[in-house]
Amino acid sequence: MRRIFIAGNWKMNTSSTEAQQLIEAIYAQTNDHEMDIAVCPPTVYLSAVSSYIKSNEQRKNLQIKLGAQNMHWEDKGAFTGEVSGQMLQDVGCTYVVLGHSERRALFSETNENINKKIHKALAIGLLPILCIGETLEERESGKEKEVITEQLTMGLKDLSPSQVETCTVAYEPVWAIGTGKTASPEMAQDMHAFIRQMLAQNYGDNVAQAVRIQYGGSVKPQNIKDLIAQADIDGALIGGASLKADSFSEIISICSA
């Protein structure tokens, strides 16, 4: 049985004080739960959040892990403004979000570059969260599964089945991110089932059944129960609601019920 995985993507939000207050509040308001939980702060606050997480490692059933929002595929070099996977490991990261729609749309990230990053992350022991999703225009034109197929296939290109098994896939319909719109549970399940079918076709049923597929796109306490009840939705990659400790903690509580 796949273990639920809830991750909070803080994006380009919080000050140093706010980041500290947020992680403290998440711990204070979250009861112990046996599921996987991660927070992904801005890069400049990773170290501070990591220190607080390490100071709470004694909580057996609340093991919050640290994730980054991006990385470069090279180890080091003349890449001004970039961060390597080794740097992320050095400050305590377990996960790294790759291929988020905002990176694709605003910073021209390609499937090829995302694939390079996934290969590097896995090579050094970071666990990738591969984001895939269609725009409203692509869905309305009936191309959503074609888009998902390309992003999934190219993102995981040349990975072995055992490598794919350690990845998380986050399906985030672009039209639902930060808009307040959410795919219906049935719509989300249909796409998650399609993604799992693609994984089975490319890597075998055992891998497909092991890979966790998160849903992302205006996830909040009011809709998470119906989403997580779907057979192929294994958790959520949460944006805005992860910036409020009470919302994030409530989502975790609902998923554990």
Side-chain angles (χ1 to χ4, degrees):
M1 186 173 179
R2 293 180 298 273
R3 186 176 166 100
I4 292 173
F5 181 19
I6 301 295
N9 178 13
W10 296 4
K11 304 189 180 182
M12 196 175 74
N13 293 294
T14 73
S15 64
S16 58
T17 299
E18 289 167 343
Q20 183 72 21
Q21 291 172 340
L22 180 55
I23 190 61
E24 289 176 2
I26 289 171
Y27 270 97
Q29 297 181 35
T30 305
N31 295 323
D32 287 4
H33 298 297
E34 292 193 7
M35 66 175 69
D36 289 333
I37 304 168
V39 293
C40 304
T43 304
V44 292
Y45 305 137
L46 284 171
S47 185
V49 174
S50 177
S51 295
Y52 192 82
I53 288 174
K54 288 177 181 177
S55 72
N56 282 270
E57 287 179 336
Q58 73 278 8
R59 290 183 64 173
K60 290 182 181 179
N61 295 325
L62 184 60
Q63 295 291 314
I64 297 177
K65 301 296 184 182
L66 188 68
Q69 299 176 21
N70 190 29
M71 60 170 271
H72 198 277
W73 60 83
E74 294 289 353
D75 294 334
K76 59 182 178 180
F79 304 102
T80 301
E82 291 290 338
V83 176
S84 72
Q86 286 89 343
M87 292 174 181
L88 299 180
Q89 284 183 313
D90 193 39
V91 296
C93 286
T94 299
Y95 296 98
V96 58
V97 177
L98 298 172
H100 193 281
S101 63
E102 292 157 4
R103 299 296 313 174
R104 294 176 188 265
L106 301 177
F107 303 100
S108 303
E109 287 202 3
T110 65
N111 287 320
E112 291 76 14
N113 286 348
I114 294 163
N115 179 248
K116 288 181 183 179
K117 294 179 181 186
I118 290 176
H119 275 272
K120 174 55 68 173
L122 290 171
I124 65 175
L126 285 172
L127 300 177
I129 301 173
L130 169 62
C131 299
I132 58 177
E134 80 283 1
T135 64
L136 182 59
E137 180 182 0
E138 288 164 341
R139 174 165 280 275
E140 289 181 340
S141 62
K143 295 180 179 178
E144 67 272 19
K145 291 186 176 178
E146 179 182 333
V147 171
I148 292 304
T149 298
E150 180 179 5
Q151 291 179 347
L152 184 69
T153 303
M154 294 298 292
L156 301 178
K157 184 180 179 182
D158 295 329
L159 294 181
S160 68
S162 61
Q163 287 177 310
V164 172
E165 194 169 326
T166 66
C167 296
T168 298
V169 176
Y171 168 61
E172 296 192 303
V174 180
W175 47 269
I177 299 174
T179 63
K181 297 179 180 180
T182 310
S184 69
E186 295 76 19
M187 189 185 299
Q189 166 59 22
D190 177 70
M191 188 60 82
H192 279 239
F194 175 74
I195 292 167
R196 205 172 301 285
Q197 178 186 339
M198 290 297 302
L199 290 169
Q201 180 179 315
N202 294 336
Y203 302 101
D205 191 59
N206 287 342
V207 171
Q209 292 304 316
V211 171
R212 292 181 295 188
I213 309 174
Q214 298 174 316
Y215 174 77
S218 298
V219 174
K220 46 189 176 288
Q222 292 80 1
N223 59 33
I224 187 62
K225 182 177 181 180
D226 290 336
L227 288 166
I228 203 70
Q230 304 303 309
D232 290 293
I233 298 180
D234 306 312
L237 181 59
I238 302 163
S242 71
L243 295 171
K244 298 177 181 178
D246 54 352
S247 295
F248 192 61
S249 297
E250 186 176 355
I251 288 170
I252 291 169
S253 179
I254 291 169
C255 289
S256 70

